[in-house]
Amino acid sequence: GICTIAADQPGDATYEPAPTIIRSFTIADGGGGTGSIKTQSITFPRPADIDVLSGPVSLTATADSGLPVSYASITPAVCAVTGSSVTLLAAGACTIKADQPGDASYAAASTVTQSFAVLAHSQTISFTQPTTADVSDGTVTLSATASSGLVVALTTQTPDVCTVAGGTVTLLAAGVCTIRADQPGNSSYSAATSVVRSFDVTDTVGSAIVLVILVIFIFLGDWRTTMIHFIATPVSLIGTFVFVKLLGFSINTLTLFGITLATGLVVAD
């Protein structure tokens, strides 16, 4: 700006006051002379890209004036700044601005910004292979976990054979049950690679019924006679269990032999 100075001499008993003399001069920005305001600039190295779980990040910006530099986050959802330390909050682009407001000798420095990538942490799914199950089992409990500790979602790929709710699979029919495990990730973790597990679902009771009918038909050679014998078999078993219950018998080798004998007598009749 322009500095204006007035020079006066009020005189004394011998001399009268002298006329006031005014002089002005310009103070240039950055001129470097005595009493001038100097310019300054900020050097702000770009922080390296970093995993969201590997923070905090230290900032190292400097001003050539030697004055301290202050920082602020332009992306508060991704990162926050305290002093010269950056706390990582979520995956994304973190942008930091560096400022130096100046003082009596230095003008404010131009703001400098730097951005770096905050990378989502990877995760994996551990999904235990289920063993063969029978439809008569009703349900099967599955075990699937993510290394992130986040909840794993299970979905069936074979709804005609099995359904799934939470970690429980309901068996519907014989066949191959296929289940897929997924974890979509969050602000800190990327989505995990899906894991698929398949296991056989058998129907022992159904297979036994078909086998019994087939054997009876092979021996009798007539479907009507076969069905009469097939119906008579469960009738004899139910009747035998009724008497086992009424008489207070337990299931042991002797009573099992009795059940077999009862079935044979009814079928023979």
Side-chain angles (χ1 to χ4, degrees):
I2 298 175
C3 179
T4 301
I5 305 295
D8 291 287
Q9 215 308 309
D12 58 9
T14 305
Y15 291 92
E16 61 183 15
T20 298
I21 303 297
I22 297 176
R23 293 287 185 265
S24 298
F25 61 93
T26 299
I27 300 176
D29 186 8
T34 302
S36 64
I37 298 296
K38 301 177 182 178
T39 59
Q40 61 172 329
S41 60
I42 294 174
T43 301
F44 189 4
R46 177 185 180 277
D49 297 341
I50 188 172
D51 188 287
V52 67
L53 300 183
S54 299
V57 176
S58 296
L59 303 176
T60 57
T62 57
D64 57 11
S65 63
L67 298 174
V69 176
S70 61
Y71 305 96
S73 172
I74 301 177
T75 52
V78 177
C79 55
V81 177
T82 302
S84 61
S85 179
V86 179
T87 301
L88 307 177
L89 305 177
C94 175
T95 301
I96 305 295
K97 68 174 183 176
D99 289 291
Q100 212 308 305
D103 60 7
S105 300
Y106 287 91
S110 297
T111 299
V112 179
T113 61
Q114 289 288 8
S115 297
F116 61 96
V118 180
L119 307 174
H121 196 68
S122 61
Q123 61 171 329
T124 57
I125 293 175
S126 176
F127 190 2
T128 303
Q129 174 64 48
T131 58
T132 299
D134 193 86
V135 174
S136 61
D137 294 336
T139 60
V140 174
T141 300
L142 302 181
S143 175
T145 58
S147 59
S148 62
L150 299 175
V151 177
V152 175
L154 302 176
T155 54
T156 179
Q157 306 299 293
T158 51
D160 293 337
V161 177
C162 57
T163 59
V164 62
T168 302
V169 175
T170 300
L171 307 175
L172 304 178
V176 176
C177 175
T178 300
I179 304 294
R180 187 182 72 193
D182 294 286
Q183 213 308 305
N186 61 9
S187 60
S188 298
Y189 288 90
S190 59
T193 302
S194 298
V195 178
V196 177
R197 294 284 184 262
S198 297
F199 61 98
D200 293 326
V201 179
T202 59
D203 187 357
T204 304
V205 174
S207 300
I209 291 174
V210 172
L211 183 60
V212 168
I213 293 175
L214 182 60
V215 170
I216 294 175
F217 177 75
I218 291 174
F219 277 93
L220 299 180
D222 179 74
W223 279 114
R224 180 176 178 275
T225 308
T226 298
M227 293 311 298
I228 291 174
H229 284 72
F230 176 70
I231 295 172
T233 299
V235 170
S236 65
L237 289 175
I238 293 173
T240 304
F241 275 116
V242 169
F243 282 98
V244 167
K245 178 67 174 178
L246 292 176
L247 297 175
F249 292 160
S250 61
I251 298 298
N252 52 46
T253 304
L254 185 59
T255 52
L256 288 175
F257 176 74
I259 292 172
T260 305
L261 180 60
T263 303
L265 290 174
V266 174
V267 172
D269 289 343

